[in-house]
Amino acid sequence: MLVAAAARTRLFTLHPPSPLQKSPPFTLSFRNSLSHSPRPGPNPSHHVSAAKTPSHALSDAAKFVRTVLFVPPGLDPDEVTDDMVLPGSNIVLGPYAGDAKIKEIEFVKSSGRPKDCPRDDRPEFAMLGRSNVGKSSLINYLVRKKEVALTSKKPGKTQLINHFLVNKSWYLVDLPGYGFANAPESAKMDWSSFTKGYFLNRDSLVAVLLLIDASVPPQKIDLDCANWLGRNNIPITFVFTKCDKMKASKGKRPDENIKRFQELIRENYKQHPPWIMTSSVTGLGRDDLLLHMSQLRNYWDN
């Protein structure tokens, strides 16, 4: 247990939210947001050497790399080049990226209490978000299997901690959604005592995939959740969903909503957590999210 906890501590250097501070203007481009442009393969030998980029360019970008991009374990920030960043994200592909294919998945159990979750110490990723964020749809698309997670037009259907074993080596965990105002009183749960208990006592947790609905402006409940996770040093990756809805009939477009969300997050995080754009409709971000998870998981295992 102590080894696993130490691995998680080293995995991300998170900075708990602090009093609001001035931060440099957000300048990350969305030029790759909707296209699957070529990216480096999972083999570390495919990485482009920093020598191929003029040294002055890296020097000018050093602050950007260290504060905006997510540089994974095993990679020096000074070695990062533009083509190492996964499309539609701030995630750099590093030497721990490996086989990201999901070959098999099986449902293991549903747990009503955190202490009832599997105790075999295999690494796991937990999916969390507002109940109408599209979490179940994304899980089903990631594993390319229908009805792995329960989907419903009614929010609040996932009421238990559901563990799915992937490739017999790691877990994907479907957590109850939060903020489901339309659920009946009998179905509402005390998120503070239930889900938070899982986060605070789960040593095998590699990272939380916090799903954010990109089709709506930033929601206070999502920001509060992200800040709570940060204060408790729990690694997170922001997974923006519904990014196929680029032509919003009203309100702002998803890319504008994402940019605003990131600006708000940067007020409390000295280093920006990893984030990626996805769509269960078009397939945007699926393979890249799995690659990101593979490099975190491989580092954990080593």
Side-chain angles (χ1 to χ4, degrees):
M1 290 289 187
L2 292 177
V3 174
R8 184 169 71 184
T9 300
R10 296 195 310 270
L11 191 57
F12 294 128
T13 303
L14 289 181
H15 299 267
S18 56
L20 297 186
Q21 55 188 347
K22 292 183 178 180
S23 58
F26 190 85
T27 57
L28 188 57
S29 170
F30 284 87
R31 58 188 175 78
N32 290 328
S33 294
L34 298 179
S35 63
H36 291 275
S37 58
R39 63 173 184 269
N43 190 325
S45 64
H46 292 171
H47 292 326
V48 179
S49 169
K52 294 186 179 181
T53 301
S55 59
H56 65 81
L58 284 177
S59 177
D60 292 341
K63 187 174 182 180
F64 174 84
V65 170
R66 286 172 170 77
T67 60
V68 176
L69 296 182
F70 170 71
V71 181
L75 188 65
D76 190 315
D78 290 332
E79 298 174 349
V80 174
T81 57
D82 182 71
D83 56 358
M84 295 167 68
V85 182
L86 294 175
S89 80
N90 73 333
I91 299 168
V92 178
L93 198 62
Y96 281 96
D99 185 3
K101 294 181 180 179
I102 293 182
K103 302 178 180 66
E104 61 177 309
I105 183 168
E106 60 179 300
F107 171 75
V108 176
K109 68 177 299 188
S110 293
S111 305
R113 298 173 299 178
K115 67 178 183 179
D116 295 330
C117 293
R119 289 290 179 183
D120 56 16
D121 293 332
R122 277 180 275 207
E124 61 190 47
F125 293 86
M127 278 201 169
L128 177 68
R130 287 187 295 115
S131 57
N132 59 347
V133 76
K135 175 165 55 69
S136 295
S137 296
L138 182 62
I139 291 176
N140 292 337
Y141 187 76
L142 279 178
V143 303
R144 295 192 188 281
K145 208 169 187 179
K146 293 182 178 180
E147 298 180 356
V148 166
L150 179 64
T151 58
S152 173
K153 292 183 179 180
K154 295 182 179 181
K157 290 295 289 186
T158 301
Q159 298 296 305
L160 299 169
I161 302 173
N162 298 303
H163 274 75
F164 298 91
L165 183 61
V166 182
N167 298 342
K168 299 188 182 301
S169 61
W170 58 278
Y171 287 110
L172 186 62
V173 186
D174 186 8
L175 294 175
Y178 54 82
F180 42 94
N182 295 326
E185 288 296 327
S186 59
K188 291 187 178 181
M189 307 174 68
D190 183 353
W191 193 80
S192 296
S193 63
F194 181 71
T195 312
K196 287 183 180 180
Y198 164 83
F199 293 132
L200 295 175
N201 300 289
R202 196 65 179 165
D203 291 332
S204 55
L205 179 63
V206 176
V208 174
L209 305 180
L210 182 57
L211 275 57
I212 307 295
D213 186 347
S215 69
V216 298
Q219 304 292 300
K220 183 178 184 300
I221 192 171
D222 292 330
L223 294 166
D224 288 345
C225 181
N227 289 333
W228 183 87
L229 291 169
R231 284 194 301 272
N232 287 277
N233 293 317
I234 298 170
I236 60 176
T237 292
F238 295 119
V239 179
F240 292 102
T241 63
K242 306 181 184 180
C243 292
D244 53 287
K245 300 179 180 180
M246 294 304 296
K247 294 183 179 180
S249 58
K250 55 184 177 179
K252 294 186 176 180
R253 301 189 329 173
D255 54 346
E256 295 172 321
N257 292 329
I258 292 172
K259 182 176 180 180
R260 179 56 183 154
F261 184 91
Q262 292 166 338
E263 289 172 342
L264 293 172
I265 284 296
R266 279 171 60 85
E267 293 177 349
N268 288 334
Y269 283 80
K270 294 178 182 178
Q271 292 179 323
H272 203 299
W275 63 266
I276 187 168
M277 301 174 72
T278 68
S279 168
S280 59
V281 175
T282 66
L284 173 69
R286 177 191 182 271
D287 294 342
D288 295 313
L289 176 56
L290 289 175
L291 264 179
H292 169 60
M293 294 166 67
S294 80
Q295 63 184 2
L296 300 185
R297 188 174 65 254
N298 289 335
Y299 177 75
W300 177 279
D301 288 336
N302 287 282

